[in-house]
Amino acid sequence: MRTDQKILTFILALTLLLGVMTVPVFAEGGLTGNGTVSSTYNSSFDMDLYSLVSYNGNAVTKADLTFTKAEIAEIRDGSSVFFSTCNTADIAQGIIGLTFKQGISKAYTNVKVALTYTKGGTSYTDTVLLPVELKNDGGEEWTGEKTDEKVDLTTLQSIYDITLRPTAIAQDDKEHNIDIQLHLAYKGDRNFQDAPLSYFRIEPVVSGKTTDFPFKLEYSAYGKTMADIKVVKDKDGKVTDTYFDFPFAVKSDAVNGYYPVTFKLYHLYKNVDFDEATPVETTITTYVEIRNGKKASDSTTPGTVTSDPSTAILLLEGYELSADEIKAGDTFDITLKIRNTSGKKVTDVKSTLTEAKGTVLPVSGASSFYVEEIGAGETIEKTLTLKAQADAGVLPVEMTLSNAFVHEDSAKTSTDSFILPVTQVVNLSLDAPTYATEIYTGDSTNLTMKLYNKGKSMLYNVSVYLESEGLKADETYYAGNMDSGTTKTYDVMISAADGYEGQLEGEIVVSFEDALGNVSERRSPISVNVATMDWGEDTWYDDGMMEPVEEPKKGLPWWGWAAIGLAVVTTGIGIAVSSVKKHKKKQQEKEDEDEME
């Protein structure tokens, strides 16, 4: 075998060897969408993530990574955003189920999905954009309406779209002004300025009667539109809250107490005109407290009521409770103070205290009492024992006292109402955090902790963060609002802060607000031992009991051999090419000599 053939054979063998040694290497965090899903509009369909995404441009399989969580970030149709339901029961197999909701009008829709996956024992989250091609029932490109029927535009908005988010009750100031802030949500989204509406208007239901509307009528109209919305942002410019502001001046004859204030809302869904549908009317009620108005009597009482003493004969001046705070499930006494405001006695008085929703009930089963006579200007006191049921306080507890009596030989009645301050027992339960209790300097560990709202009321502005001097987390988790019976998961990577090692302590802090805006915290301690990696000496001993162990000889790592092989290949190719050229040159010279002869 000639020298040049030997060199080529060597290069070929070396190339085959390097091909066997080649190991695919993934860079951290690189999921992208690389496929399009075809689906019939408004139907459920499955998306196979392994066929729709790639990792750094390479196809992925279950052997490469495992999907653990998927959340639909948004579905975008042009400049509008639509949300969808997402079924993740088969996420471990790389399958998620998707169902579009009404309103998408484009043939091609982008679905933004946040995918969490594990690779090499580490968890990552990437957001990918997956194109979806929508088709109608006949398999043709979707044009915004079904082949067999048009979308009923009157169904695109309902009275359940807009809700009032609970906040602290508005109170008047010493100048007799009050500021009512209405924090609205569109289908649960607190950023109301992004609500997909073509028309919106909100206005109070006004009345000249003080007991119904304790504010001065200073303007001919009080309606507001989306142009009047107030937007609150944090230091980074992120929207944290939106609300509508209604300032009022309190009437001079308004009696101290709680008052319901009703508002009417009208809205149309985006792209819906007045000639296509009538705006949906929604009624919401909030409550205000007058504290600097007219007193019902000279006596100071813990409870005040919404009665007008100028028209009442029997007036509920106020009430006293046996406890400073009433929580759902508590049994308590309430003492009612009833005054005859007229100049003549009343007789045969029968009074009944009720609560329409049945959340506060009498312990004895009877909520009525009888008084034979109340003299002119006289005040009587009656005590009832009540029990707040487990669901009391989820909504405001409005009590009603109804009186039937005889005055000047005529049968008459009167009614008083007041808000009973019952609060729900906040029951936020935390699982023990799951994490590695020992790591090396420079390493991180995944920490997860589940949160459960076991109470009957919603928790607001739930956020979770790590508080520690020596440990740090990669993010602060904002969970938003937690409805009764829901679960959230705190999932972060934690590591030692620069310059810290050894046994490091910290606390997972969960902060949240109740319906009145009171902030509470729950804490869960953690402890991580951060060790410095010991690379060892040439030999090691165990208390002198073991013989020295010879350290294995160090060789070049595989990438070193690969580099050498690549250099050899390059050099070999150069030598081979040179040898071939020399051989051809000699052959040509020999042929030239033969021709000359």
Side-chain angles (χ1 to χ4, degrees):
M1 182 180 293
R2 297 197 309 269
T3 301
D4 56 345
Q5 293 176 329
K6 290 182 180 180
I7 293 174
L8 290 173
T9 302
F10 171 75
I11 293 172
L12 177 61
L14 182 60
T15 302
L16 292 174
L17 178 61
L18 291 176
V20 174
M21 294 174 59
T22 299
V23 178
V25 179
F26 287 115
E28 306 304 338
L31 279 185
T32 56
N34 66 345
T36 301
V37 184
S38 294
S39 170
T40 301
Y41 170 73
N42 211 25
S43 66
S44 299
F45 63 98
D46 290 337
M47 303 177 74
D48 184 358
L49 298 176
Y50 286 109
S51 65
L52 295 175
V53 300
S54 60
Y55 196 100
N56 290 343
N58 300 316
V60 296
T61 65
K62 296 178 182 178
D64 300 323
L65 54 85
T66 302
F67 292 103
T68 59
K69 184 179 179 181
E71 290 184 344
I72 300 298
E74 66 180 33
I75 296 177
R76 186 169 290 278
D77 170 12
S79 61
S80 301
V81 177
F82 296 84
F83 294 93
S84 169
T85 57
C86 180
N87 185 349
T88 59
D90 297 321
I91 185 63
Q93 305 301 318
I95 303 295
I96 61 174
L98 199 64
T99 302
F100 283 119
K101 289 186 177 179
Q102 192 86 335
I104 296 177
S105 60
K106 303 296 182 182
Y108 291 91
T109 299
N110 293 320
V111 181
K112 186 182 292 186
V113 188
L115 297 174
T116 302
Y117 57 95
T118 57
K119 183 176 71 63
T122 303
S123 178
Y124 304 95
T125 298
D126 289 335
T127 299
V128 301
L129 200 63
L130 302 178
V132 177
E133 180 184 12
L134 297 179
K135 297 181 179 298
N136 59 27
D137 296 336
E140 300 171 343
E141 184 178 282
W142 176 253
T143 58
E145 60 182 45
K146 293 188 177 181
T147 55
D148 55 346
E149 60 179 352
K150 292 186 177 181
V151 176
D152 184 359
L153 297 179
T154 62
T155 64
L156 296 183
Q157 49 273 314
S158 76
I159 60 174
Y160 306 106
D161 292 339
I162 301 176
T163 55
L164 178 65
R165 296 190 287 113
T167 55
I169 292 178
Q171 299 173 333
D172 63 328
D173 56 26
K174 293 183 178 180
E175 285 70 38
H176 306 292
N177 295 316
I178 195 167
D179 190 24
I180 301 177
Q181 295 183 359
L182 298 181
H183 299 252
L184 303 180
Y186 181 81
K187 294 185 177 180
D189 186 359
R190 65 190 295 129
N191 186 1
F192 194 75
Q193 71 169 347
D194 288 342
L197 302 177
S198 63
Y199 174 79
F200 174 79
R201 180 177 176 81
I202 181 172
E203 57 189 24
V205 178
V206 300
S207 170
K209 191 176 180 181
T210 302
T211 53
D212 295 334
F213 195 75
F215 312 122
K216 296 178 181 178
L217 295 177
E218 300 177 309
Y219 305 100
S220 60
Y222 287 88
K224 293 182 181 291
T225 66
M226 290 295 279
D228 301 304
I229 194 170
K230 304 292 185 180
V231 180
V232 181
K233 298 181 179 181
D234 60 16
K235 61 181 180 180
D236 298 322
K238 181 181 178 181
V239 176
T240 59
D241 201 2
T242 57
Y243 64 91
F244 290 90
D245 188 43
F246 289 88
F248 292 104
V250 179
K251 285 183 177 180
S252 59
D253 63 340
V255 178
N256 288 342
Y258 293 92
Y259 293 78
V261 182
T262 302
F263 289 81
K264 295 285 188 181
L265 290 73
Y266 307 89
H267 77 282
L268 281 175
Y269 191 68
K270 76 175 194 71
N271 299 329
V272 179
D273 298 326
F274 283 98
D275 57 349
E276 297 172 316
T278 302
V280 168
E281 177 183 315
T282 304
T283 300
I284 61 172
T285 301
T286 187
Y287 292 85
V288 299
E289 182 185 8
I290 305 300
R291 299 185 301 174
N292 299 290
K294 188 175 182 179
K295 294 183 179 179
S297 68
D298 294 333
S299 60
T300 302
T301 58
T304 55
V305 298
T306 59
S307 296
D308 189 340
S310 63
T311 59
I313 295 176
L314 285 186
L315 171 68
L316 177 61
E317 287 187 333
Y319 61 87
E320 292 182 353
L321 299 174
S322 59
D324 294 334
E325 183 179 17
I326 307 299
K327 292 184 176 294
D330 287 353
T331 298
F332 60 96
D333 291 338
I334 182 171
T335 300
L336 304 172
K337 298 183 178 183
I338 304 173
R339 181 164 64 96
N340 178 5
T341 63
S342 72
K344 295 184 179 182
K345 70 178 180 179
V346 296
T347 59
D348 300 323
V349 181
K350 182 180 179 181
S351 300
T352 303
L353 183 65
T354 58
E355 196 278 318
K357 301 181 182 66
T359 60
V360 175
L361 299 172
V363 172
S364 63
S367 59
S368 300
F369 54 86
Y370 176 79
V371 179
E372 183 176 354
E373 179 181 304
I374 304 177
E378 182 184 359
T379 299
I380 66 165
E381 296 184 0
K382 285 292 182 178
T383 300
L384 297 174
T385 301
L386 306 177
K387 180 178 177 63
Q389 304 302 302
D391 57 347
V394 176
L395 296 174
V397 179
E398 184 174 3
M399 307 295 296
T400 300
L401 179 66
S402 302
N403 303 305
F405 55 92
V406 176
H407 181 255
E408 294 184 324
D409 297 327
S410 297
K412 296 185 178 181
T413 61
S414 66
T415 301
D416 294 301
S417 63
F418 59 95
I419 302 297
L420 192 65
V422 180
T423 58
Q424 267 288 312
V425 178
V426 175
N427 189 2
L428 179 63
S429 177
L430 310 179
D431 270 355
T434 301
Y435 59 97
T437 57
E438 192 164 333
I439 61 174
Y440 288 106
T441 304
D443 288 346
S444 59
T445 179
N446 180 232
L447 182 147
T448 61
M449 183 179 71
K450 286 189 175 296
L451 293 69
Y452 306 91
N453 183 5
K454 296 183 177 180
K456 294 185 178 295
S457 60
M458 182 178 288
L459 304 179
Y460 299 89
N461 296 326
V462 181
S463 61
V464 191
Y465 60 93
L466 172 62
E467 186 177 277
S468 174
E469 182 179 354
L471 296 170
K472 62 180 181 179
D474 60 350
E475 64 175 326
T476 294
Y477 174 52
Y478 178 71
N481 300 337
M482 288 186 65
D483 206 349
S484 174
T486 58
T487 303
K488 298 284 187 179
T489 302
Y490 178 55
D491 190 344
V492 296
M493 301 298 294
I494 63 172
S495 58
D498 294 341
Y500 286 87
E501 61 182 45
Q503 198 69 34
L504 303 179
E505 312 291 335
E507 287 186 317
I508 306 300
V509 182
V510 182
S511 174
F512 57 92
E513 298 176 12
D514 61 17
L516 298 179
N518 300 315
V519 180
S520 301
E521 287 185 350
R522 298 287 187 271
R523 291 174 175 262
S524 183
I526 64 171
S527 179
V528 179
N529 182 37
V530 180
T532 302
M533 179 68 75
D534 184 6
W535 297 102
E537 303 293 337
D538 291 341
T539 59
W540 61 274
Y541 300 89
D542 185 7
D543 297 331
M545 299 300 293
M546 298 184 63
E547 295 295 328
V549 178
E550 182 179 354
E551 182 179 350
K553 294 181 178 180
K554 297 182 179 178
L556 280 175
W558 70 270
W559 52 266
W561 287 108
I564 293 175
L566 181 60
V568 171
V569 170
T570 305
T571 304
I573 291 174
I575 294 174
V577 172
S578 177
S579 298
V580 170
K581 286 184 177 180
K582 289 181 179 179
H583 177 74
K584 286 184 177 181
K585 184 177 181 181
K586 289 181 180 181
Q587 186 69 25
Q588 184 64 38
E589 291 175 352
K590 183 178 180 182
E591 291 176 357
D592 293 341
E593 290 176 358
D594 292 340
E595 290 178 359
M596 292 178 64
E597 292 177 357

